[in-house]
Amino acid sequence: MYTHMRGLLTAVVTLAVVAIGGAAPAAQNPTFPARDLPPNVNRPAPVAVNRALPASISGGAWKSGHLQGMALDRRKGYMYYSFTNMLVKTDLRGKPVGSVTGFTGHLGDVDFNSADGRVYGSLEYSTTKAYYIAVFDADRITRMNMDAQTAGVVSTVHLKEVVRDYTADMNGDGVFDGDTANTPDHRYGCSGIDGVAFGPAFGRRVGPQKLTVAYGLYSNTSRKDNDHQVLLQYDVRGWKKYERPLKESAPHRSGPDKADGKYFVRTGNTTYGVQNLEYDGHSGNWLMAVYKGKKKTFPNYSLFVVDGRKAPALGTIGGQAKPERGLLLKLLAKGLHHKPSGTYGWQSAGQYGLIALDDGRFYLGEAGTTGSGSGARQTGKAVMHRWTGKTPTPFAKSR
């Protein structure tokens, strides 16, 4: 750190800019307007727009799994990176501040909850049928290699709704076929969970921020009942009663009996479902970045956008062996359009990390590797883009 008073003064001024944002010409704003908002009732406190955020932030290079997701605490100036089996915390210059390690399950997408200052992420243990939301005490992540089970910085909440769908015996043979796509089991093709994001109830712009959790979906082109993304919404304000420390040798089952809301978006089957989910406060829409599907009857886009103006509507969940109805969400009718299936979307990055800055700008995650053999490391960084809505790719790098 700085050793001279002049350097200290510079650091203080820099932190002030990070906290309140600097002025920028209006021409730097995106070209599309935000919709008018109703009076400021029951909405979270606004975060100051920060035009001094860096164009890119390195997440470092680690002996880990690949980059899965990112979360940003704009007020305190920290970025969080999920690397499959570890969480890394950096400052906005990319300097590592701390990490949480030791996960043997799959740590997926993460998001920052400004209401309680904690980081929430999806955490899977398929072999023990344990699907958790991992809750990280962000302020206590202050050193490297903090153990997920013993350092006291991680609590977990079990999602029973996910387990019911994952273990569903769809062919009625009385056998759970396990973690495999080559089966008619797993309701809706559920393979677990991945994408997570905070935002309002679907179809609204105000109200309590809910945690939305997206299913992972097996890639299976032979079945017709797996063409919807499945999204669960939870009000986490009462979750303290469910939270338990992570103990991988004895997985707990403490969590809500069911989701507060369950929703379906028809996109066509994708490979492992929604990798990164994000609510954009600027447009009011929800973005879903996926690994492309393989069904020839669908266009297999890599980015879908849920129209935030459309309230969920009760309708038929297509393709189910037994007729089933549920709450359906509409895709935004923009971008590429596949008329035979009625699907809208884009071809875009975002599968490794997606953060909306709520002003038309986004951080997109870039994953890579460095070194080889025993020296191989996984890398990740957040790169600033702006939304253009153009086809086939709706993002352009900010300059």
Side-chain angles (χ1 to χ4, degrees), residues 205-221:
R205 293 292 298 271
V206 297
Q209 298 290 289
K210 296 190 174 185
L211 176 65
T212 303
V213 182
Y215 276 13
L217 300 174
Y218 290 109
S219 176
N220 188 323
T221 61

Side-chain angles (χ1 to χ4, degrees), residues 307-326:
D307 190 338
R309 296 172 298 181
K310 303 291 180 62
L314 188 64
T316 299
I317 305 171
Q320 307 308 304
K322 295 180 180 179
E324 185 177 346
R325 291 172 66 78

Side-chain angles (χ1 to χ4, degrees), residues 220-338:
N220 188 323
T221 61
S222 65
R223 56 193 293 179
K224 298 180 179 179
D225 60 347
N226 60 351
D227 290 331
H228 291 78
Q229 304 303 322
V230 183
L231 305 174
L232 307 178
Q233 283 201 321
Y234 295 92
D235 187 338
V236 302
R237 292 176 295 177
W239 268 22
K240 282 285 187 180
K241 61 187 176 186
Y242 300 126
E243 293 181 24
R244 302 289 185 273
L246 176 65
K247 188 176 182 180
E248 294 184 338
S249 62
H252 74 83
R253 310 294 170 176
S254 176
D257 288 332
K258 62 180 182 179
D260 298 324
K262 190 171 189 175
Y263 307 89
F264 301 84
V265 191
R266 188 173 183 267
T267 61
N269 180 236
T270 56
T271 302
Y272 292 116
V274 178
Q275 296 299 299
N276 267 253
L277 178 69
E278 184 73 352
Y279 175 71
D280 175 26
H282 181 72
S283 66
N285 297 325
W286 294 80
L287 284 71
M288 304 184 297
V290 306
Y291 298 145
K292 293 182 180 181
K294 299 176 181 178
K295 286 190 176 182
K296 295 181 180 179
T297 53
F298 286 90
N300 299 316
Y301 301 135
S302 55
L303 179 71
F304 299 97
V305 178
V306 173
D307 190 338
R309 296 172 298 181
K310 303 291 180 62
L314 188 64
T316 299
I317 305 171
Q320 307 308 304
K322 295 180 180 179
E324 185 177 346
R325 291 172 66 78
L327 291 171
L328 307 181
L329 301 172
K330 289 284 189 181
L331 290 173
L332 184 69
K334 293 184 178 180
L336 300 168
H337 183 213
H338 184 248

Side-chain angles (χ1 to χ4, degrees), residues 16-334:
V17 171
V18 169
I20 65 175
Q28 292 184 8
N29 289 336
T31 57
F32 59 98
R35 291 192 294 272
D36 292 337
L37 296 177
N40 187 14
V41 178
N42 293 328
R43 76 175 71 191
V47 177
V49 173
N50 187 340
R51 304 190 189 282
L53 285 170
S56 66
I57 306 172
S58 173
W62 312 98
K63 196 172 183 61
S64 65
H66 72 74
L67 181 64
Q68 296 280 345
M70 311 180 305
L72 172 65
D73 179 354
R74 292 182 70 174
R75 187 173 68 85
K76 293 185 178 179
Y78 294 112
M79 186 74 84
Y80 299 86
Y81 298 86
S82 165
F83 279 95
T84 310
N85 55 7
M86 67 183 297
L87 184 82
V88 175
K89 177 181 180 180
T90 75
D91 63 21
L92 296 185
R93 293 169 295 181
K95 179 182 177 181
V97 173
S99 65
V100 183
T101 59
F103 295 101
T104 64
H106 180 280
L107 180 65
D109 188 18
V110 291
D111 199 12
F112 182 77
N113 182 8
S114 59
D116 64 12
R118 301 192 293 175
V119 174
Y120 289 63
S122 59
L123 181 60
E124 300 181 308
Y125 295 89
S126 295
T127 56
T128 55
K129 306 171 189 175
Y131 293 97
Y132 297 122
I133 293 299
V135 185
F136 295 86
D137 189 338
D139 288 341
R140 295 180 64 189
I141 302 175
T142 56
R143 67 182 190 275
M144 304 304 294
N145 298 314
M146 301 180 74
D147 185 79
Q149 297 185 75
T150 62
V153 296
V154 182
S155 59
T156 52
V157 176
H158 189 246
L159 302 185
K160 301 177 184 179
E161 181 105 5
V162 178
V163 177
R164 285 194 291 268
D165 285 340
Y166 173 70
T167 60
D169 180 12
M170 302 305 292
N171 60 0
D173 65 359
V175 177
F176 172 62
D177 293 334
D179 185 9
T180 177
N182 188 26
T183 172
D185 286 349
H186 312 297
R187 186 176 290 111
Y188 316 120
C190 174
S191 68
I193 55 176
D194 212 329
V196 297
F198 281 94
F202 286 117
R204 303 194 64 182
R205 293 292 298 271
V206 297
Q209 298 290 289
K210 296 190 174 185
L211 176 65
T212 303
V213 182
Y215 276 13
L217 300 174
Y218 290 109
S219 176
N220 188 323
T221 61
S222 65
R223 56 193 293 179
K224 298 180 179 179
D225 60 347
N226 60 351
D227 290 331
H228 291 78
Q229 304 303 322
V230 183
L231 305 174
L232 307 178
Q233 283 201 321
Y234 295 92
D235 187 338
V236 302
R237 292 176 295 177
W239 268 22
K240 282 285 187 180
K241 61 187 176 186
Y242 300 126
E243 293 181 24
R244 302 289 185 273
L246 176 65
K247 188 176 182 180
E248 294 184 338
S249 62
H252 74 83
R253 310 294 170 176
S254 176
D257 288 332
K258 62 180 182 179
D260 298 324
K262 190 171 189 175
Y263 307 89
F264 301 84
V265 191
R266 188 173 183 267
T267 61
N269 180 236
T270 56
T271 302
Y272 292 116
V274 178
Q275 296 299 299
N276 267 253
L277 178 69
E278 184 73 352
Y279 175 71
D280 175 26
H282 181 72
S283 66
N285 297 325
W286 294 80
L287 284 71
M288 304 184 297
V290 306
Y291 298 145
K292 293 182 180 181
K294 299 176 181 178
K295 286 190 176 182
K296 295 181 180 179
T297 53
F298 286 90
N300 299 316
Y301 301 135
S302 55
L303 179 71
F304 299 97
V305 178
V306 173
D307 190 338
R309 296 172 298 181
K310 303 291 180 62
L314 188 64
T316 299
I317 305 171
Q320 307 308 304
K322 295 180 180 179
E324 185 177 346
R325 291 172 66 78
L327 291 171
L328 307 181
L329 301 172
K330 289 284 189 181
L331 290 173
L332 184 69
K334 293 184 178 180

